[in-house]
Amino acid sequence: MFLGLNFTFLGKYWFYYVDGAKVTLELAFWTLIFATILGVFMGMIRVQNYKIVSSVIDGWINFIRGVPVMVQIFIIYYGIATQLPQFWAAVLSLTINSSVYIAEHTRAGMQAVNKGQMEAARCIGMSNFQGYWYIIIPQAIKNILPSLVNEFILLIKNTSIVSVIALHELTYTSNSVRANTFLAFEPLIVTAVIYFVMTYILKKLVGVLERKLHEHD
Amino acid sequence: MTDEKDVVIQVKGLKKHFGNLEVLKGVDIDIHKGEVVVVIGPSGSGKSTFLRCLNLLETPTDGDILYHGQSILDKSMKIDKYREKIGMVFQLFNLFENLSVLKNVTIGPLKVLKADPAATEQKARELLKRVGLESKVDAYPSQLSGGQKQRVAIARTLAMDPEVILFDEATSALDPEMVGEVLQIMRQLAKDGMTMVVVTHEMGFAREVGDRVVFMDGGYIVEEGNPRDVIKNPQHQRTKDFLSKML
């Protein structure tokens, strides 16, 4: 007993949390990879002057940002990707959602790089691609990284929403514990602590990376 | 000097509009090998736009620019190849912020010319020594003063072995005590026979180093000639008005 709370259920149900946390991390991991690729790609196209493509992406971004994640998950799971296994339907939904935010961060980060940098690159004979690759993108990454980390932390927390399609991730399994133990409160505290530890470690790791990137500023 | 075959860049009837704003209204000029052409004029006269058209940072609306007789506006012209030969030094330096001083100088030869890495680095070190920055090779742009940045920018341009260097108000953003160190390097380049087009407000430099001075106003070349003549004894009223404000 701790502050009148009973955590003895952990002796019997701890593996529910381990299994749930594993699924949560797997979800976050795959979503992170796909959403970053897709989001950076959309963001890079957005900063080019392809009018039609840019406005299509713009419309898409605005649409996704205006619809709740839970509704997106229902639409994809019950409507569009009915053939996909639960796990990958969840990854798809979260990827679509996260990538539009990453696209916006990417666009902002690229546009924040001084225009003169590209001009100087072109003036020594670099192609547009070389200018982006050697000069603009390395600087944009520094600009984007802080908001990208926030996005990843948000992503880990957002994975809890896919419990609505009965995917056995952390939030879902902790509800199972509550049902089995008839404890309303304590299993949720354990869940909260696990989410917190995961996001906190991520935040610290990226803090180290960021300091390394900014060594020369 | 005025021999036809010595002409590196020939500008014919160059016009540039930005929307409804007509910045260049028809500029004609020949740049000869080894010549230092100094472009002066009030702000908004089109000097910088003219310079930026020479390496196509701005696309001309009308007219033509010939490089050794070949139009750079022609579709078959490889612009990146042309730009390797035409260096540019900017008012705000535009050093690559993510690269060290040494890498700022070597990245062009390495990535664009695919030059040998060891030879490139040695040459870059020599160039940095020439501009007095051999002790700063490992520094980053954010750690340098304005004058130092501009000297690195000149070394970066020289590393490409350009045929012509364009200077776009290279000293205008510098603190007064740093103007001298940059002008000194430009003076030395002129002495070594580099072909230069220099947009500047430094009348002393124009008089001393320029082979020819060009006065621009309202999108036209109003007057051009020997620097001593133009600056000491301008023929046009607009040139007189401008110079009386400058000196």
Side-chain angles (χ1 to χ4, degrees):
Chain A
M1 297 287 275
F2 173 70
L3 296 174
L5 296 173
N6 179 6
F7 286 99
T8 49
F9 69 91
L10 275 176
K12 195 172 163 195
Y13 289 102
W14 61 271
F15 62 91
Y16 272 63
Y17 288 101
V18 174
D19 289 349
K22 255 164 68 184
V23 174
T24 290
L25 286 176
E26 278 168 16
L27 265 178
F29 175 79
W30 289 112
T31 305
L32 189 150
I33 287 178
F34 293 134
T36 305
I37 294 170
L38 186 63
V40 168
F41 180 72
M42 288 196 292
M44 303 247 304
I45 290 179
R46 255 319 257 100
V47 295
Q48 308 292 330
N49 291 325
Y50 310 135
K51 281 211 174 78
I52 297 171
V53 185
S54 284
S55 45
V56 169
I57 292 181
D58 236 21
W60 174 249
I61 289 173
N62 281 326
F63 175 71
I64 296 297
R65 291 213 293 190
V67 177
V69 190
M70 200 190 285
V71 176
Q72 291 173 25
I73 291 169
F74 280 143
I75 288 176
I76 287 189
Y77 185 61
Y78 293 116
I80 295 166
T82 49
Q83 303 300 313
L84 273 185
Q86 222 171 12
F87 178 81
W88 294 108
V91 169
L92 180 63
S93 314
L94 292 171
T95 296
I96 287 172
N97 187 67
S98 255
S99 62
V100 303
Y101 292 95
I102 292 174
E104 283 295 87
H105 297 317
T106 304
R107 183 185 57 77
M110 304 263 282
Q111 283 173 344
V113 176
N114 192 315
K115 236 182 98 212
Q117 297 284 305
M118 184 52 114
E119 287 189 351
R122 297 312 299 270
C123 278
I124 57 169
M126 282 194 194
S127 64
N128 195 43
F129 177 80
Q130 284 179 316
Y132 272 110
W133 188 253
Y134 295 115
I135 308 300
I136 307 298
I137 292 175
Q139 295 182 51
I141 288 174
K142 273 192 200 178
N143 298 339
I144 298 167
L145 205 62
S147 43
L148 212 52
V149 175
N150 278 332
E151 201 48 51
F152 293 161
I153 289 171
L154 220 58
L155 172 63
I156 289 186
K157 294 189 290 180
N158 271 347
T159 57
S160 69
I161 298 175
V162 302
S163 59
V164 297
I165 57 169
L167 184 65
H168 293 201
E169 47 65 67
L170 187 56
T171 302
Y172 187 92
T173 54
S174 69
N175 270 331
S176 306
V177 176
R178 293 172 72 209
N180 285 330
T181 58
F182 303 107
L183 289 166
F185 187 45
E186 290 86 339
L188 287 175
I189 293 180
V190 177
T191 310
V193 169
I194 295 172
Y195 275 118
F196 173 74
V197 169
M198 290 195 290
T199 52
Y200 189 76
I201 290 172
L202 181 64
K203 195 172 164 232
K204 284 287 155 196
L205 279 178
V206 178
V208 173
L209 181 66
E210 228 176 29
R211 267 196 299 284
K212 271 200 125 27
L213 279 174
H214 283 277
E215 254 169 11
H216 302 299
D217 291 357
Chain B
M1 182 84 94
T2 49
D3 194 349
E4 202 52 31
K5 69 176 191 289
D6 276 348
V7 175
V8 182
I9 297 177
Q10 187 175 24
V11 180
K12 292 200 275 191
L14 179 67
K15 290 184 184 173
K16 176 66 184 175
H17 308 210
F18 292 102
N20 289 327
L21 185 67
E22 200 174 16
V23 179
L24 297 178
K25 296 173 184 166
V27 173
D28 295 273
I29 190 171
D30 292 352
I31 314 283
H32 301 90
K33 190 169 166 29
E35 191 183 25
V36 177
V37 177
V38 180
V39 184
I40 59 172
S43 358
S45 61
K47 329 183 279 293
S48 279
T49 304
F50 163 66
L51 205 65
R52 290 166 62 84
C53 280
L54 290 184
N55 63 1
L56 296 187
L57 280 183
E58 304 294 349
T59 311
T61 316
D62 198 6
D64 206 352
I65 300 169
L66 305 180
Y67 171 63
H68 292 298
Q70 197 193 348
S71 170
I72 63 169
L73 300 173
D74 200 271
K75 287 237 183 318
S76 66
M77 185 76 187
K78 292 205 168 64
I79 285 310
D80 294 341
K81 283 271 166 231
Y82 168 70
R83 286 191 178 129
E84 288 171 15
K85 290 282 145 208
I86 311 293
M88 180 141 186
V89 175
F90 298 88
Q91 181 176 4
L92 295 174
F93 332 119
N94 291 345
L95 287 187
F96 302 133
E97 302 286 339
N98 57 320
L99 301 176
S100 70
V101 165
L102 185 65
K103 285 194 171 142
N104 260 279
V105 181
T106 58
I107 191 164
L110 287 181
K111 302 301 179 190
V112 177
L113 304 177
K114 315 284 183 206
D116 172 64
T120 301
E121 183 174 332
Q122 198 195 345
K123 186 178 158 199
R125 286 179 186 276
E126 278 163 21
L127 284 170
L128 286 167
K129 195 170 174 192
R130 201 164 133 197
V131 299
L133 289 170
E134 67 267 44
S135 62
K136 296 285 184 187
V137 284
D138 295 321
Y140 276 75
S142 57
Q143 299 162 326
L144 302 179
S145 71
Q148 290 171 332
K149 283 184 194 176
Q150 199 57 297
R151 286 187 278 156
V152 175
I154 293 173
R156 172 175 70 180
T157 303
L158 289 173
M160 296 296 291
D161 278 327
E163 201 176 339
V164 181
I165 303 183
L166 314 173
F167 290 86
D168 188 7
E169 303 201 25
T171 58
S172 299
L174 297 176
D175 291 337
E177 70 266 28
M178 290 171 182
V179 170
E181 65 192 45
V182 172
L183 288 182
Q184 183 50 42
I185 290 165
M186 291 168 66
R187 211 172 277 133
Q188 188 58 48
L189 278 176
K191 212 178 274 176
D192 295 344
M194 178 60 74
T195 310
M196 297 159 64
V197 183
V198 184
V199 170
T200 188
H201 293 293
E202 295 289 333
M203 290 306 144
F205 179 86
R207 199 160 36 202
E208 184 197 339
V209 184
D211 293 312
R212 187 153 48 120
V213 72
V214 172
F215 173 71
M216 282 183 74
D217 193 19
Y220 294 106
I221 292 178
V222 175
E223 186 167 354
E224 65 176 301
N226 181 301
R228 279 163 220 280
D229 298 342
V230 175
I231 293 171
K232 276 242 171 70
N233 192 14
Q235 298 302 306
H236 288 259
Q237 190 55 42
R238 279 193 282 176
T239 321
K240 284 178 193 163
D241 292 347
F242 172 72
L243 287 169
S244 69
K245 278 182 217 142
M246 291 302 294
L247 299 171

